[in-house]
Amino acid sequence: MRRGIAATALVAALGLTVAACGSDDGQDGDKKSSGELSGTVTFWDTSNEAEKGTYQALAEGFTKLHPKVKVKYVNVPFGEANAKFKNAAGGNSGAPDVMRTEVAWVADFASLGYLAPLDGTPAIEKQNDWLPQAAASTKFNDKTYAVPQVIDTMALFYNKKMLADAGVEVPKTLTELKAASKKISEKSPGKTGLYLRGDDPYWFLPFLYGEGGDMVDAKGKKVVIDNPAGVNAYKTIKDLVDSKAAITDASDGWNNMQNAFKTGKVAMMLNGPWAIEDSRAGAEFKDPKNLGIAPVPAGSVAQGSPQGGWNLSVYAGSKNLDASYEFAKYMSSAKVQQQTTEKLSLLPTRTSVYAQPTVASNEMVQFFKPAVDKAVERPWIPQGNSLFEPIKLQMANVLGGKASPEKAAADTGEAYRKLLKDYK
Amino acid sequence: MAVDTSQSVAKAAGAHSARGRGRRTDKHPGRLRHALATHWYAWSMIAPVVIVIGVIIGYPLVRGVYLSLTDANEANVERTIGVNHIPATYEFVGLDNYKAVLTDSVFWDRLGWTLVWTVVCVALSFGLGLVLANMLNRKIKGRGFYRMALILPWAVPAFVSVFTWRLLFNERNGLFNKLLQGGGIDAIGWLNDPTWAKVSVIAVNVWLGVPFMLVAVLGGLQSIPGELYEAAEMDGASAWQRFRHITMPGLRPVASTVILLSAIWTFNMFPVIFLLTRGGPGDSTEILVTYAYRLSFVNSPRDYAASAAWGVVILLLLSVIAVVYRRALKKQGDQW
């Protein structure tokens, strides 16, 4: 018993001393120790196989700044992330605190009440530094629901050697592309000029913009995909495949495209900066200089590709909002963006980062930055992501010969009007 | 449900045999209490089952039917997310969703293909199962090994096998096309051509379905007494006659059950279609359930009401099929 009392007294004394020290620090005005963040931040990352290692390392680097916060990194494949987040958020269990969100998902998630508004929170840092078009995708109903982390657009990836062997220039228009493709096939039978994604509607957009079209006119609340431009876009993809200028698939398009390009079965593909890391791993690009990048070929009217990218959003039901805001701020900070560019050649969303020598000298950034400046902004409406499914369906119908381009465009328009009840 | 159960218990005990009278419990106020008092033991025994079934089947079913009569979607159902509380604002719309489903050509197109898919898959897997079971029912060398090998597809998780098949079917790098090209035949766009995609999904589903048929039919075959065959042989019946007049009738109870079960499973076989083709190319391999999934999981906001209506329609269709099938069997004198 006696020993027990002595031990208690000792503990009490020690406790007092510690407390005293603590309060001393506080009086010295050391801001770091007051209100220190702790707990766990679950982060859902949607980057691809080639990128995820870098992202994991960056995310876990957060603990260096805030040692008491544990970062739980989860890689969720891009294709499943949207549905998975909605299941978790709507069901109120299992949603991550912070998620790497595709630009078109922000308005959707925000409109359903799943995201925490970030205005006035620590998540937003130096908003003036954001590229205006990247910032546009973070807003819904005049509130900010995400911070931009990566911006991108599509371009023409080409195999320099294959084009040189066939004696063709980098095509600037689809007409030139068809001619170049013909020469490539003649020169080496079994090889084709272009790989055309037939199973992903995102890859349809450059052809749609090339004909001067768009999906919807969000300001005028009008569906415009069934205009002649939309019909022509469907005609274009069919013509590219029928004339054997391009090969395509209705399934497994990403793998087939990357394989074909990396092994030199096709000389060109449309793709974004997210494919750089993976392409460079291919046999054809052992010498990284062989990979060329050019603007997307122009259609009959214009030249354009969609603006994409990734934002970081915070789940409204997060148990640890304070740490989540800090984490979002950290992942969109200039330092982290610079690192993603150095390691993965992804494009930053902060003007200041472009001024960094390592970023400015990055060949991919030098090419993609002007392209991003001219990229076409998508409609930032809650249904933005749902606009793709009808196109996907009709692409397969057109390429499979089941529907004429006219019918495909009309049917896409009809599906849009069903989806967007107040649109003309 | 409570009244029904008490009745059947009472009937089993021989207390009240008149059906019509038993239903009108309101006219006999003491009856329910009486039944409860007499059979409280039986009640307490079945209570856990009733509760579990009620919670895991009854509630979702009733909720689904209710949702199908409203215009509920992801945006207007009640939920609380952190500080955001979104109240329920959906309304009762009666049968509008059903009207929309039944007047939509999308539904009828999918229904046609779903029926073709079900009939072809069940017929092929039952046929193959029957042939293989007959072969394995003989005394052959290594019978145990063959049985194991044929059951294997069943042991592999469905998604693993479907992904493997997807690799085999790949138009550019798949094994099937490599083999065809080796033989000098043009590559086939297995999953890229609507017709071949249909063939492909059926092939995979049959491959997945045969082991079940095989096991069931083998069990049925072994329950047919050997004496029947011996007697028939003595009477000089040919192999075909024996098969036709002994095996087939002997298998009937098993066959009718597995065919019905397999038809219901195939009708609702989501994973094969979704993982192999996602309903594509276009919508050529889309069956009713994969479309209902698309409705509630792909578009935003998710349309719970329409999806629930599709679910109820699918349930009704299957119930009708099951009832008609059982009637037909009964007419032919099957005690099932």
Side-chain angles (χ1 to χ4, degrees):
Chain A
M1 248 344 210
R2 257 180 190 216
R3 263 169 69 184
I5 291 168
T8 315
L10 185 68
V11 169
L14 278 173
L16 276 174
T17 331
V18 172
C21 289
S23 65
D24 271 359
D25 276 359
Q27 277 163 356
D28 288 346
D30 184 355
K31 276 176 195 154
K32 266 183 200 157
S33 66
S34 63
E36 193 177 1
L37 295 171
S38 61
T40 307
V41 172
T42 306
F43 173 51
W44 278 12
D45 177 38
T46 47
S47 63
N48 63 34
E49 283 299 309
E51 298 167 339
K52 70 181 185 189
T54 306
Y55 269 101
Q56 178 161 14
L58 283 170
E60 281 164 1
F62 182 66
T63 42
K64 277 186 204 134
L65 296 174
H66 301 277
K68 286 196 179 156
V69 180
K70 208 177 146 244
V71 174
K72 205 175 143 211
Y73 172 92
V74 186
N75 185 276
V76 182
F78 166 47
E80 295 158 28
N82 186 304
K84 226 174 160 175
F85 178 75
K86 282 188 153 194
N87 290 346
N92 245 332
S93 78
D97 299 300
V98 180
M99 176 157 125
R100 189 171 181 252
T101 312
E102 215 266 344
V103 284
W105 301 349
V106 174
D108 185 11
F109 293 165
S111 74
L112 297 169
Y114 294 158
L115 300 185
L118 301 180
D119 300 281
T121 70
I124 291 182
E125 183 198 38
K126 295 185 201 132
Q127 203 166 356
N128 303 337
D129 195 19
W130 293 353
L131 297 177
Q133 51 298 32
S137 68
T138 64
K139 306 263 198 252
F140 176 71
N141 278 355
D142 299 328
K143 278 192 195 164
T144 312
Y145 283 94
V147 289
Q149 209 228 349
V150 165
I151 191 165
D152 59 46
T153 190
M154 288 172 127
L156 184 77
F157 283 50
Y158 64 92
N159 185 327
K160 284 182 187 164
K161 194 170 162 287
M162 279 178 82
L163 290 198
D165 285 352
V168 290
E169 294 280 301
V170 180
K172 291 194 185 61
T173 64
L174 287 174
T175 328
E176 284 178 33
L177 185 136
K178 271 176 77 177
S181 195
K182 203 170 165 211
K183 273 195 187 154
I184 291 165
S185 307
E186 276 166 9
K187 178 90 187 166
S188 33
K191 306 206 166 173
T192 316
L194 179 76
Y195 189 96
L196 180 125
R197 272 306 282 281
D199 65 334
D200 193 322
Y202 196 66
W203 269 253
F204 177 73
L205 294 180
F207 300 106
L208 182 62
Y209 298 148
E211 299 304 317
D214 205 339
M215 296 187 282
V216 296
D217 169 8
K219 272 196 194 113
K221 299 228 160 194
K222 259 191 344 215
V223 172
V224 293
I225 192 150
D226 44 5
N227 287 356
V231 177
N232 286 338
Y234 280 118
K235 269 188 193 148
T236 308
I237 58 166
K238 183 155 178 61
D239 178 51
L240 282 171
V241 173
D242 285 355
S243 67
K244 302 220 178 333
I247 52 170
T248 185
D249 289 284
S251 63
D252 271 331
W254 173 262
N255 288 331
N256 287 333
M257 168 170 71
Q258 289 298 110
N259 276 338
F261 187 65
K262 278 150 74 176
T263 56
K265 279 189 187 139
V266 298
M268 296 171 274
M269 66 171 177
L270 296 184
N271 223 328
W274 59 86
I276 294 172
E277 204 54 30
D278 188 51
S279 302
R280 278 179 172 165
E284 283 286 309
F285 304 99
K286 280 222 173 80
D287 172 17
K289 290 216 160 58
N290 193 31
L291 177 64
I293 311 254
V296 290
S300 61
V301 177
Q303 180 180 34
S305 66
Q307 180 212 316
W310 295 92
N311 296 331
L312 294 151
S313 59
V314 176
Y315 174 52
S318 163
K319 298 254 172 354
N320 200 352
L321 277 173
D322 289 326
S324 302
Y325 294 144
E326 281 296 331
F327 183 76
K329 169 176 150 186
Y330 162 77
M331 286 300 279
S332 71
S333 67
K335 204 173 146 215
V336 170
Q337 293 201 0
Q338 186 183 339
Q339 280 168 309
T340 51
T341 310
E342 284 164 5
K343 298 215 168 80
L344 304 171
S345 300
L346 296 178
L347 268 70
T349 58
R350 291 181 176 279
T351 331
S352 61
V353 182
Y354 286 96
Q356 298 295 330
T358 50
V359 175
S361 64
N362 184 310
E363 193 193 355
M364 296 296 157
V365 172
Q366 282 169 5
F367 169 75
F368 270 107
K369 180 62 182 30
V372 160
D373 289 340
K374 275 189 268 171
V376 182
E377 274 191 49
R378 285 186 275 154
W380 308 122
I381 54 175
Q383 297 90 343
N385 196 46
S386 309
L387 296 177
F388 287 127
E389 205 57 27
I391 297 186
K392 182 180 170 184
L393 180 65
Q394 297 306 333
M395 279 171 87
N397 285 347
V398 168
L399 292 174
K402 257 179 79 188
S404 66
E406 288 79 10
K407 184 165 180 335
D411 286 355
T412 318
E414 196 189 321
Y416 281 9
R417 285 188 188 89
K418 248 190 213 170
L419 198 68
L420 307 158
K421 301 231 157 63
D422 51 342
Y423 274 53
K424 265 188 282 176
Chain B
M1 196 184 251
V3 176
D4 271 348
T5 321
S6 79
Q7 253 179 38
S8 58
V9 172
K11 233 194 292 176
H16 311 282
S17 52
R19 247 187 182 205
R21 264 174 49 207
R23 287 248 161 116
R24 295 194 299 268
T25 39
D26 50 340
K27 285 196 178 168
H28 306 273
R31 181 155 295 172
L32 187 65
R33 198 184 297 164
H34 176 73
L36 273 174
T38 322
H39 305 294
W40 67 271
Y41 188 68
W43 268 102
S44 63
M45 295 297 272
I46 59 162
V49 177
V50 171
I51 292 168
V52 168
I53 290 183
V55 170
I56 66 174
I57 298 176
Y59 173 73
L61 188 66
V62 171
R63 174 101 184 134
V65 172
Y66 168 69
L67 281 178
S68 74
L69 299 172
T70 66
D71 61 355
N73 63 32
E74 197 178 14
N76 61 18
V77 293
E78 181 182 4
R79 60 208 182 283
T80 307
I81 294 146
V83 288
N84 296 346
H85 178 80
I86 294 108
T89 50
Y90 58 91
E91 282 168 4
F92 189 81
V93 295
L95 294 174
D96 282 7
N97 289 316
Y98 293 97
K99 223 188 282 167
V101 172
L102 297 178
T103 51
D104 194 346
S105 66
V106 170
F107 172 75
W108 297 105
D109 290 351
R110 300 292 166 283
L111 180 62
W113 157 240
T114 309
L115 291 176
V116 171
W117 145 262
T118 309
V119 170
V120 174
C121 281
V122 173
L124 282 178
S125 53
F126 182 73
L128 279 173
L130 186 64
V131 170
L132 290 170
N134 269 300
M135 284 160 70
L136 284 184
N137 200 29
R138 293 154 194 240
K139 290 207 167 59
I140 44 170
K141 238 186 185 174
R143 189 161 73 159
F145 171 77
Y146 290 127
R147 283 191 188 176
M148 275 292 292
L150 284 164
I151 305 256
L152 206 65
W154 213 14
V156 182
F159 77 94
V160 174
S161 15
V162 175
F163 278 134
T164 313
W165 277 92
R166 219 165 101 163
L167 290 178
L168 298 176
F169 278 134
N170 191 305
E171 189 174 352
R172 285 174 217 298
N173 312 307
L175 182 69
F176 290 153
N177 278 348
K178 288 263 153 75
L179 288 176
L180 285 180
Q181 281 163 332
I185 305 167
D186 273 354
I188 292 173
W190 294 104
L191 301 178
N192 297 326
D193 175 80
T195 316
W196 281 112
K198 284 178 177 168
V199 172
S200 306
V201 286
I202 288 175
V204 173
N205 196 45
V206 168
W207 185 81
L208 284 171
V210 163
F212 169 70
M213 293 290 190
L214 173 70
V215 175
V217 174
L218 201 52
L221 284 176
Q222 284 171 352
S223 71
I224 302 173
E227 296 85 47
L228 290 179
Y229 289 103
E230 283 166 23
E233 233 167 311
M234 294 289 280
D235 291 343
S238 68
W240 169 247
Q241 280 171 325
R242 272 175 281 153
F243 179 74
R244 175 85 185 72
H245 296 288
I246 302 174
T247 311
M248 289 300 276
L251 277 180
R252 242 179 108 153
V254 174
S256 55
T257 312
V258 293
I259 287 177
L260 182 59
L261 273 179
S262 161
I264 291 173
W265 288 339
T266 311
F267 198 90
N268 284 337
M269 185 51 84
F270 180 81
V272 170
I273 303 260
F274 184 75
L275 296 176
L276 202 63
T277 63
R278 304 239 153 192
D283 53 2
S284 53
T285 54
E286 192 99 78
I287 59 173
L288 292 175
V289 282
T290 59
Y291 187 80
Y293 171 85
R294 202 184 270 227
L295 219 50
S296 68
F297 288 101
V298 175
N299 279 350
S300 181
R302 296 174 166 191
D303 196 343
Y304 298 148
S307 187
W310 275 75
V312 172
V313 170
I314 292 169
L315 179 68
L316 289 177
L317 274 170
L318 284 174
S319 311
V320 169
I321 292 172
V323 168
V324 170
Y325 182 76
R326 278 187 60 179
R327 281 254 168 93
L329 286 180
K330 236 184 211 160
K331 238 182 222 162
Q332 291 169 33
D334 203 330
Q335 299 297 318
W336 189 59

